[in-house]
Amino acid sequence: MIAPLVSGLGNTAGRGPRYGNPPIVPSLQSGIMMNRLETIQRFDSNRPHRFLLGKAVATALISMASLVAQPSIADELQVISSTSISADEVTSLADLKLYAKSLAKEPYRPEPPLAPELADLNYEQYREIQFRHEAGIWDDGSHPFWLEFFHRGFVQRDRVDVYVIEPNEDTDAPPIISQVQYTAEQFDFGDKISDLQVPDDVGYAGLKVAGRFATDGDAQEMLTFIGSSYFRSRTQPTVYGTSARGLAVNIGMNQDEEFPDFRAFWITEPTPNEADAPVPAKIPEQKIPEQSDDTSKSDDTSQPYDIIQPQITVLALLDSPSLTGAYQFTFEPNKAVSTIEVEATLFFRNAVDKLAYAPLTSMWLWGDGLQGPSKDERPSVHDSDGLLVHADNRWQWRSLARLPYPSVSSITVESLNGFGLLQRDRDFEHFLDSNARYHDRPSVWIEPIDSFGPGRIELLEIPGAHEGIDNIGAYFVPDNALPDDQGSQDAASDEATPLPEPIDLKYRVSFFATAADLGDKLHQTTPTGQPLATCQSLDIQRNGADEPIDLELVFELKSQPDTAPEVNDSDATEAAPVQAAIHTVRGQVSHQTTKAIPNGYVCRLSITPTEDAPIELELTLQDADGQAVSETFRYLCPQAQPTFKYPAVYTRQE
């Protein structure tokens, strides 16, 4: 998942990485070899995309999705002979909407399973398959971006068709649409499977967009689409971590989740030589520094609005048993912030019980509040450490947890400004993993451009067996998107219940390292403009059965007011200029103190459990007038330290 970012898995001598640093050795900081299926697939771009929330973990809430590949667009064209537009005529989002709408009128048709010689590959065999860089599309030295592809096999059984849209030499003529044809010569199959017989029409599992964050910088992988509707990006100083999804259907329910797939992509050729023409960052409502006459690019990554790359546009067709979707991704990478503007329209062919917009998936195995296995020396293992929600003039931070069972919690919102999974902890000493580089994983922020309306942010936390599994999900569930009397579109029935109307979505996904990279967007203030302290760490001390649980929260104030309020120790019953307003469920606060520290506050409290279930905690620091001086901290606190059965690589036991 870290550089070599485009070179992918299993680079060996003679097939060395073209992009970034030397290949990764799959080991723990202690030097114990990790099981590669559990480790490299999280670190390298060509790994089987992490087993994400239900495609790998069978739980009461989420079950394994089907691994049967989906039909190619060419096959669908034979089915939809009456449509006014075909896949090889799509040049715009408007065209794709027509195509997706027509497809939704037809029954969902999965294609036959992937050929056994590919489906039966094990992980070690699959990781040998490398895309040959010289076969990349537009990799000619003059384009700011180029395309490479993932091979199908092992768990990556879904097929995607890829089209490129290129300008016509006759400027008055429409652009040229060409399907990228798979050939085995595009890939290096290594020594272990060099004699593998691959069907000529196997197609691709996904695609990657590569480029440079600076005109004189190294080639880097910037954006990938692989597996269901997953996509992810990064910035120059970060490595791959949290992923985004196009859509989630029936997620976090007591039934199987439905996984829509991106089944075809159309990529517009970026203008050659445009990489040398710097342009200002196009992030609304942010201060952009004036461009000087010097257009050289600085290596300083601390400035959030450094010279950026041009954009590249990717269209994608979403398909599932219940719906289709036309998606447009406008990708703009930057040294400090890479943004993807998503515009989509959903068309329904069947009823769904639950829709989730802009879903994110991540991993939290242990860290603040949960100890790892005794023989693993790493203090923390996670891609994100919390969920941040900005809605209704309120900032809320929910520290992530890991329980022995699936858990879904929610935050009700009327007007959503944004939400995201953040990696606030950037201290290498808190991870001690120079291989995985968890301290360099990106934070991801979702910002509606067109309002999502009222609804709720749900946080899904499932146990997860190891760090190769995404066990965290965060997404927006709208209140009124689906009618109560929705039905199905059955051409054979004259009494079909009306389906939901098409749904339009428009939002921005930002990948970045620190909150400062997004400028004012994540600068937390009160409605009157006073800065809010943010929770940076959590420590829990459990004192035995039926004994109070001690918690310590450290809040950081990035910009102190001219006159900071006084803070003193106090019991919960005593008045204090700054103290914690606390609400609990299944627990009673017996003691709390709040103290000032340089650039922030530390809050200590003791909670006695009142029921045999995790304690729900909500805490906000307030001044003497009852006004918030911090974000609202939320947490689901188990009474006892949860225990898990870890793979042998963590316990060093066979």
Side-chain angles (χ1 to χ4, degrees):
M1 189 175 290
I2 64 174
L5 290 168
V6 179
S7 53
L9 295 174
N11 290 297
T12 58
R15 293 196 298 139
R18 172 189 179 188
Y19 307 135
N21 299 325
I24 299 166
V25 177
S27 63
L28 291 175
Q29 185 68 15
S30 61
I32 302 299
M33 285 294 291
M34 292 287 286
N35 179 299
R36 289 178 176 177
L37 177 56
E38 297 163 354
T39 309
I40 303 187
Q41 66 175 12
R42 290 186 37 75
F43 305 159
D44 293 325
S45 63
N46 200 32
R47 60 162 174 75
H49 206 293
R50 193 188 303 167
F51 296 111
L52 296 152
L53 288 181
K55 275 212 167 179
V57 184
T59 68
L61 293 180
I62 304 175
S63 67
M64 178 75 78
S66 171
L67 292 177
V68 176
Q70 304 305 321
S72 68
I73 295 301
D75 294 337
E76 291 293 350
L77 289 177
Q78 298 177 2
V79 175
I80 312 172
S81 57
S82 61
T83 183
S84 59
I85 191 169
S86 62
D88 56 5
E89 296 175 315
V90 171
T91 63
S92 66
L93 180 59
D95 292 340
L96 184 55
K97 287 180 181 180
L98 292 175
Y99 186 75
K101 183 177 181 180
S102 297
L103 186 63
K105 296 178 181 179
E106 300 293 332
Y108 176 75
R109 289 178 172 85
E111 73 171 18
L114 180 63
E117 53 266 42
L118 291 172
D120 294 342
L121 291 176
N122 61 36
Y123 180 73
E124 293 295 330
Q125 293 171 322
Y126 179 74
R127 67 186 292 270
E128 286 287 301
I129 306 176
Q130 304 288 315
F131 188 83
R132 297 182 184 274
H133 304 304
E134 62 271 17
I137 305 296
W138 306 317
D139 186 6
D140 54 10
S142 65
H143 285 78
F145 306 104
W146 57 94
L147 304 179
E148 297 187 0
F149 305 98
F150 296 97
H151 205 284
R152 297 173 71 191
F154 186 43
V155 298
Q156 296 298 349
R157 305 185 183 187
D158 296 338
R159 173 192 174 120
V160 300
D161 291 338
V162 181
Y163 298 80
V164 293
I165 303 171
E166 299 175 314
N168 200 310
E169 291 184 1
D170 181 355
T171 56
D172 295 329
I176 301 171
I177 302 96
S178 305
Q179 183 173 0
V180 181
Q181 299 296 327
Y182 167 89
T183 66
E185 288 71 26
Q186 295 168 328
F187 294 86
D188 182 348
F189 292 87
D191 297 330
K192 296 181 180 179
I193 53 173
S194 58
D195 58 348
L196 181 67
Q197 299 298 313
V198 180
D200 293 336
D201 60 349
V202 67
Y204 303 108
L207 65 91
K208 59 187 81 170
V209 175
R212 292 177 173 82
F213 288 104
T215 53
D216 57 350
D218 293 331
Q220 299 282 334
E221 184 176 308
M222 297 176 165
L223 173 66
T224 65
F225 294 87
I226 183 171
S228 296
S229 65
Y230 291 95
F231 61 97
R232 59 182 181 170
S233 184
R234 53 178 290 271
T235 59
Q236 179 170 287
T238 62
V239 298
Y240 281 136
T242 296
S243 297
R245 297 170 60 182
L247 192 72
V249 177
N250 298 338
I251 187 173
M253 302 181 68
N254 192 24
Q255 65 184 66
D256 288 355
E257 181 180 349
E258 178 178 309
F259 283 83
D261 297 314
F262 285 139
R263 296 180 54 194
F265 295 92
W266 295 258
I267 303 93
T268 301
E269 178 186 3
T271 304
N273 301 320
E274 193 174 345
D276 294 329
V279 293
K282 300 177 181 178
I283 304 178
E285 301 177 1
Q286 295 187 349
K287 295 180 180 179
I288 302 172
E290 295 181 358
Q291 299 295 323
S292 66
D293 294 335
D294 181 11
T295 59
S296 62
K297 299 187 181 218
S298 170
D299 291 331
D300 180 12
T301 61
S302 64
Q303 298 299 321
Y305 308 116
D306 200 357
I307 302 303
I308 64 168
Q309 295 283 350
Q311 299 174 342
I312 187 170
T313 301
V314 178
L315 300 174
L317 172 69
L318 189 78
D319 195 21
S320 81
S322 297
L323 53 81
T324 66
Y327 279 71
Q328 177 175 279
F329 300 91
T330 304
F331 176 53
E332 189 175 88
N334 195 331
K335 287 185 177 181
V337 182
S338 289
T339 62
I340 305 173
E341 188 169 303
V342 182
E343 187 172 354
T345 300
L346 307 176
F347 302 94
F348 294 86
R349 55 161 61 101
N350 286 307
V352 299
D353 294 320
K354 181 179 178 181
L355 279 181
Y357 299 165
L360 301 175
T361 64
S362 193
M363 181 276 296
W364 195 96
L365 206 63
W366 67 78
D368 286 0
L370 178 64
Q371 297 177 356
S374 60
K375 294 186 178 181
D376 193 308
E377 298 177 356
R378 298 174 296 174
S380 302
V381 172
H382 53 73
D383 287 344
S384 308
D385 47 19
L387 166 68
L388 182 64
V389 178
H390 184 203
D392 308 322
N393 293 319
R394 189 182 186 192
W395 291 89
Q396 300 185 66
W397 172 259
R398 168 60 155 78
S399 285
L400 299 181
R402 179 171 172 237
L403 301 176
Y405 48 81
S407 170
V408 178
S409 53
S410 65
I411 298 175
T412 300
V413 300
E414 289 295 325
S415 179
L416 178 68
N417 297 90
F419 74 95
L421 291 172
L422 273 57
Q423 182 79 312
R424 280 181 170 172
D425 193 345
R426 295 281 161 187
D427 189 341
F428 172 79
E429 297 299 323
H430 294 170
F431 298 94
L432 295 178
D433 196 330
S434 56
N435 183 9
R437 293 175 59 187
Y438 289 116
H439 63 293
D440 286 334
R441 301 298 170 103
S443 297
V444 185
W445 185 249
I446 302 294
E447 177 190 3
I449 297 175
D450 293 342
S451 173
F452 286 174
R456 64 187 184 274
I457 301 295
E458 283 192 353
L459 176 65
L460 171 62
E461 297 164 304
I462 61 178
H466 53 72
E467 61 200 276
I469 292 177
D470 264 345
N471 63 331
I472 301 296
Y475 43 86
F476 178 85
V477 180
D479 278 348
N480 304 312
L482 303 173
D484 295 333
D485 60 348
Q486 61 178 327
S488 62
Q489 187 160 290
D490 185 354
S493 172
D494 295 332
E495 300 179 357
T497 309
L499 287 167
E501 292 295 319
I503 294 176
D504 294 321
L505 298 173
K506 191 173 184 180
Y507 59 94
R508 181 179 295 106
V509 187
S510 298
F511 294 79
F512 55 97
T514 67
D517 294 333
L518 278 187
D520 292 342
K521 287 182 181 295
L522 293 187
H523 180 59
Q524 298 190 30
T525 62
T526 67
T528 60
Q530 293 299 310
L532 291 173
T534 60
C535 184
Q536 298 297 318
S537 68
L538 162 69
D539 184 65
I540 299 176
Q541 179 67 44
R542 295 179 174 87
N543 302 304
D546 302 324
E547 294 295 323
I549 301 172
D550 298 327
L551 295 91
E552 179 181 279
L553 309 177
V554 177
F555 289 85
E556 183 180 71
L557 196 57
K558 295 290 186 180
S559 301
Q560 288 276 25
D562 293 337
T563 304
E566 295 183 5
V567 188
N568 59 21
D569 289 351
S570 73
D571 290 331
T573 57
E574 297 180 2
V578 171
Q579 65 178 14
I582 303 172
H583 175 72
T584 61
V585 177
R586 297 180 294 275
Q588 183 176 357
V589 178
S590 57
H591 180 79
Q592 70 105 339
T593 65
T594 304
K595 296 181 63 176
I597 58 174
N599 299 318
Y601 310 99
V602 59
C603 179
R604 298 182 178 92
L605 62 153
S606 298
I607 306 178
T608 301
T610 58
E611 299 180 29
D612 187 18
I615 300 168
E616 294 184 47
L617 171 64
E618 181 178 304
L619 182 151
T620 308
L621 298 184
Q622 296 181 345
D623 62 18
D625 296 326
Q627 299 300 310
V629 298
S630 77
E631 66 187 5
T632 296
F633 171 85
R634 302 180 65 164
Y635 188 60
L636 188 63
C637 181
Q639 293 186 28
Q641 166 90 358
T643 58
F644 301 92
K645 183 178 181 181
Y646 289 97
V649 67
Y650 296 103
T651 63
R652 304 185 192 179
Q653 297 176 356
E654 295 298 333

